[in-house]
Amino acid sequence: MSEIALEPTLAAEPRSRRGIRALDLAIVTALLLALWQLVGRATGGIAITPPLGTLAYLADLVQTSLFWDHLGATLLAFAIAFAISAVGGLALGLLLGLRRFAGDVAEPILAGFYTVPKVTLYPVVLLVCGLGLSAKVAFGVMHGLVPVTLFTLGAIRTLPPVLVRTARAMRLDGWQTMSRVMVPACLPDIVNGLRISFSLSLLGVLIGEMFSSQRGLGFLLVSGLAQHNVPLTTSVVFVVVVGAVLANTLMLRLGRGTSGRE
Amino acid sequence: MSRSRTVILVRAAVLAGLVALLEVLCRVGIVDPMAVLPPSEMVGAMIDQLRSGELDESMVQTFSTIGLAFGVAVALGTLGGAVVHAVPRLRRAIDPLLASYYAVPTFIFYPLLVALLGLGKLPLVVLGVLSATPAVVISTLAGLDGVPPVLRKVARVQRLGRARTLWLVVLPAALPRLFGGFKLALSYALIGVIAGEFILSGSGLGYSISFAYQSFDSRAMYGAMLFVLLVAVGANTLLYVWEGRLARRRLRT
């Protein structure tokens, strides 16, 4: 389990430190922008466009329907993949967490699948699903399903037994035990799993688009490279990075919110 | 003990059952045998390819790239982690960066790297390093945090110098966490490099899979694919076992 919990734990902090943190964050952002500018300058714009140029290009790009078309294709595939991963992973994790034996049998298999380079399996997905939306979604699910499952499974296993006993004492039925006791108790871990599955589903969908697809941001990225359209590639990377970081920050906040409510 | 043995047996049975199921589905024709090769033929294809030496060059290429990326990531990550750990202010500044690093699909930088460094080994190594290093940094930080203060005090009492404290006290105490980071780094480097070869490159195992796919040579594709998967699972299992042994030795002493 600890294999997947990668991020450093951000401890709660007093208010006075917030100012310093904001300053630090500003400095780090400025440094990253400076690095970007530097690399862009040093290579004379053959590989990366500097920040300002990228933003200018992006401002034009968002006015074209082409961009929204590709963005929409990626978002659609991603939304379906993430929804399937979340619901399926939650159900599977609850099931395996409650059936101890099945959980013991399945956990190493899932963890093994998690560390395997799944890109190599993409041709199989393409051959089975055909080109198009379903292949991207299937690939996204392959990446995103396992983290939610493993996190939910782990959370249920480490659940204090007193909670289950209390539920029994209160004569809650199975469904109530699940929805009123288990899921709320495991919520912080589940949110964590969802956060990781979020980024991995996105990765899966993007890789799918990069390899063999006619639509989506991943396709736009690769076609930008093929046409030597440097501003286009840089803009797409920028959009994906900003979107991913924002979503992740939001979910980190959400996770801290759920764990604070004891 | 007997329960854990049962678990292992059932697990093996489940895996064997899945393979057998796939075999039957392919043979009967429910799964299109043109799309998915029956597992027995996959193994045959892999053995053929290994025997013929077709994959030798790709193997050398891919494994040396992964090894290089892994080595650089471990060195950079451990060093970086130690430095960041020593400067709390720096750590506070970098924490949010580390927390959201893996949210960004590192892989999307690959086209930029290719444009920057040209097609070849270098962008793949950089991609592997980019995706593996932060895991090592994070685990180094966790490992150094986990060193009990009493050990550092003992070192001071024994008047050990900085280097010897690090080598004799801090490193052994932090090793299990560090090892977890190395394990992750290996699988990230592996995934990064093979994905890079797969999408855009002219050589390597990932490339040979995508080349076989594009030329409709499904035997070659499944052979290479099975080989890559077996190597990945093998490497992970090896590290897993080694890690367990390391943990047990720590318990004994």
Side-chain angles (χ1 to χ4, degrees):
Chain A
M1 276 312 299
S2 60
E3 288 182 20
I4 306 173
L6 261 181
E7 290 78 5
T9 45
L10 301 171
E13 54 195 327
R15 245 168 195 290
S16 58
R17 276 211 192 140
R18 285 230 176 125
I20 302 178
R21 275 189 68 98
L23 179 67
D24 283 346
L25 199 62
I27 293 175
V28 170
T29 315
L31 279 177
L32 286 177
L33 282 174
L35 182 72
W36 180 5
Q37 175 77 31
L38 208 70
V39 174
R41 270 285 184 78
T43 55
I46 52 150
I48 301 174
T49 340
L52 279 179
T54 309
L55 285 181
Y57 185 86
L58 196 60
D60 287 339
L61 192 66
V62 293
Q63 286 168 13
T64 60
S65 62
L66 177 98
F67 174 76
W68 293 106
D69 200 30
H70 287 299
L71 183 67
T74 302
L75 285 181
L76 178 68
F78 167 67
I80 301 175
F82 182 54
I84 295 176
S85 302
V87 175
L90 201 61
L92 203 61
L94 285 171
L95 200 74
L96 292 176
L98 292 176
R99 315 249 162 211
R100 237 197 142 74
F101 187 78
D104 282 347
V105 170
E107 198 185 350
I109 299 179
L110 290 173
F113 182 69
Y114 182 76
T115 50
V116 145
K118 285 174 277 294
V119 224
T120 52
L121 291 172
Y122 194 55
V124 185
V125 176
L126 280 178
L127 287 173
V128 173
C129 299
L131 290 171
L133 184 66
S134 50
K136 287 194 278 184
V137 170
F139 201 54
V141 172
M142 277 168 70
H143 279 83
L145 184 72
V146 178
V148 189
T149 312
L150 286 177
F151 268 76
T152 312
L153 172 72
I156 290 208
R157 281 211 181 144
T158 50
L159 203 67
V162 67
L163 290 181
V164 182
R165 254 181 279 147
T166 311
R168 212 173 299 150
M170 297 201 153
R171 296 175 182 268
L172 299 184
D173 59 34
W175 175 248
Q176 282 173 322
T177 312
M178 196 77 98
S179 61
R180 295 284 162 82
V181 180
M182 297 230 166
V183 172
C186 302
L187 207 55
D189 282 309
I190 294 176
V191 172
N192 231 344
L194 285 176
R195 195 164 53 81
I196 289 168
S197 136
F198 185 92
S199 40
L200 285 175
S201 310
L202 183 62
L203 176 74
V205 169
L206 284 174
I207 288 186
E209 288 173 350
M210 282 167 90
F211 181 63
S212 185
S213 167
Q214 303 303 320
R215 292 181 71 201
L217 289 181
F219 165 71
L220 209 56
L221 196 63
V222 174
S223 71
L225 184 71
Q227 300 160 5
H228 296 290
N229 190 344
V230 181
L232 180 62
T233 340
T234 318
S235 302
V236 172
V237 172
F238 179 72
V239 167
V240 173
V241 169
V242 169
V245 169
L246 282 182
N248 187 59
T249 313
L250 204 72
M251 293 180 89
L252 269 176
R253 284 266 162 85
L254 209 70
R256 248 173 286 164
T258 54
S259 64
R261 200 193 54 187
E262 284 290 300
Chain B
M1 190 63 207
S2 72
R3 185 178 183 276
S4 69
R5 190 159 292 172
T6 326
V7 166
I8 290 173
L9 277 178
V10 172
R11 194 181 300 143
V14 167
L15 286 176
L18 286 176
V19 174
L21 182 70
L22 185 62
E23 178 87 38
V24 170
L25 287 179
C26 292
R27 294 284 178 202
V28 174
I30 296 175
V31 172
D32 183 7
M34 289 302 283
V36 182
L37 235 55
S40 55
E41 275 185 48
M42 282 187 210
V43 175
M46 183 182 79
I47 291 172
D48 285 351
Q49 280 203 309
L50 289 180
R51 273 226 186 109
S52 71
E54 268 170 67
L55 285 180
D56 288 357
E57 209 177 314
S58 311
M59 259 153 66
V60 171
Q61 173 77 20
T62 301
F63 292 144
S64 63
T65 312
I66 293 172
L68 202 62
F70 175 67
V72 173
V74 164
L76 267 184
T78 321
L79 209 68
V83 170
V84 171
H85 185 80
V87 189
R89 175 79 191 268
L90 183 63
R91 179 165 184 186
R92 272 207 301 280
I94 274 185
D95 255 355
L97 206 66
L98 287 177
S100 48
Y101 189 87
Y102 281 107
V104 177
T106 327
F107 193 76
I108 56 158
F109 291 113
Y110 184 59
L112 294 183
L113 291 174
V114 169
L116 201 63
L117 304 168
L119 210 55
K121 199 169 185 155
L122 203 56
L124 288 170
V125 173
V126 175
L127 182 70
V129 170
L130 275 181
S131 52
T133 310
V136 183
V137 172
I138 292 168
S139 70
T140 308
L141 286 174
L144 291 177
D145 281 345
V147 176
V150 68
L151 288 184
R152 289 183 192 268
K153 275 187 209 153
V154 171
R156 217 177 311 145
V157 169
Q158 303 279 358
R159 293 176 183 271
L160 295 180
R162 268 199 116 149
R164 293 187 69 192
T165 309
L166 208 60
W167 183 246
L168 294 174
V169 179
V170 174
L171 193 65
L175 203 58
R177 292 264 171 80
L178 282 181
F179 201 86
F182 296 164
K183 209 170 66 172
L184 271 178
L186 183 66
S187 66
Y188 284 164
L190 196 106
I191 292 174
V193 168
I194 290 182
E197 286 177 348
F198 185 78
I199 303 280
L200 197 68
S201 86
S203 59
L205 287 173
Y207 170 74
S208 52
I209 295 173
S210 87
F211 181 77
Y213 167 73
Q214 256 132 21
S215 49
F216 301 104
D217 185 354
S218 63
R219 242 183 101 77
M221 181 181 96
Y222 278 104
M225 194 182 288
L226 185 63
F227 179 68
V228 170
L229 293 183
L230 286 181
V231 168
V233 170
N236 281 319
T237 313
L238 210 69
L239 285 178
Y240 184 78
V241 171
W242 192 11
E243 190 184 30
R245 222 173 255 177
L246 214 69
R248 244 174 289 142
R249 196 161 56 193
R250 269 172 58 80
L251 278 182
R252 265 211 306 272
T253 47

